[in-house]
């Protein structure tokens, strides 16, 4: 019998764009991600905010910067995101 090769396909990593709300920790930033969802009862858009801790190796990002974060392996108890790029610096 011929051996069958099993091909595994990796899932695409999720990425979000958000605003840095805290940079007080060493090599860690807190990013707020805002999404708008429609309330099913009142038919109005409601803003939902999610906070994620992301790994910032060089401590480049500061409060108010718009950044892109990407999913990665767990780096600590709370961190499973990594800073990919700083889109816009705070003024």
């Amino acid at each position: 019998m011929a051996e069958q090769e099993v091909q595994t396909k990796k899932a695409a990593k999720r990425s979000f764009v958000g605003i840095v709300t805290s940079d007080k920790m060493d090599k860690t930033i807190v990013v707020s991600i805002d999404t708008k969802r429609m309330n099913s009862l009142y038919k109005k858009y409601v803003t939902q905010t999610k906070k994620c801790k992301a790994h910032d190796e060089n401590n480049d990002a500061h409060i108010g910067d718009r950044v892109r974060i990407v999913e990665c392996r767990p780096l600590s108890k709370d961190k499973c995101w990594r800073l990919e790029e700083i889109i816009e610096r705070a003024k």
Side-chain angles (χ1 to χ4, degrees):
M1 288 197 168
E3 292 183 24
Q4 294 179 349
E5 292 184 26
V6 177
Q7 293 181 347
T8 57
K9 193 173 186 181
K10 286 188 175 182
K13 294 185 179 184
R14 295 183 298 166
S15 69
F16 291 111
V17 175
I19 295 177
V20 177
T21 55
S22 174
D23 62 349
K24 293 181 180 179
M25 295 171 274
D26 186 34
K27 296 187 178 183
T28 303
I29 56 175
V30 179
V31 180
S32 291
I33 301 161
D34 292 334
T35 56
K36 290 187 182 260
R37 299 190 64 174
M38 182 173 281
N39 183 296
S40 60
L41 178 62
Y42 298 111
K43 307 297 185 219
K44 287 185 137 185
Y45 281 98
V46 180
T47 303
Q48 292 183 332
T49 303
K50 177 167 63 169
K51 285 183 170 182
C52 298
K53 289 182 182 169
H55 185 68
D56 181 10
E57 183 64 35
N58 302 323
N59 291 321
D60 288 336
H62 299 290
I63 295 175
D65 293 350
R66 181 177 295 277
V67 297
R68 180 184 317 278
I69 58 174
V70 177
E71 195 173 30
C72 67
R73 66 181 179 84
L75 300 170
S76 70
K77 177 187 169 189
D78 296 327
K79 276 200 297 187
C80 60
W81 297 91
R82 180 178 46 83
L83 175 69
E84 184 175 87
E85 66 172 323
I86 298 172
I87 298 171
E88 182 182 342
R89 292 274 185 193
K91 294 177 180 169

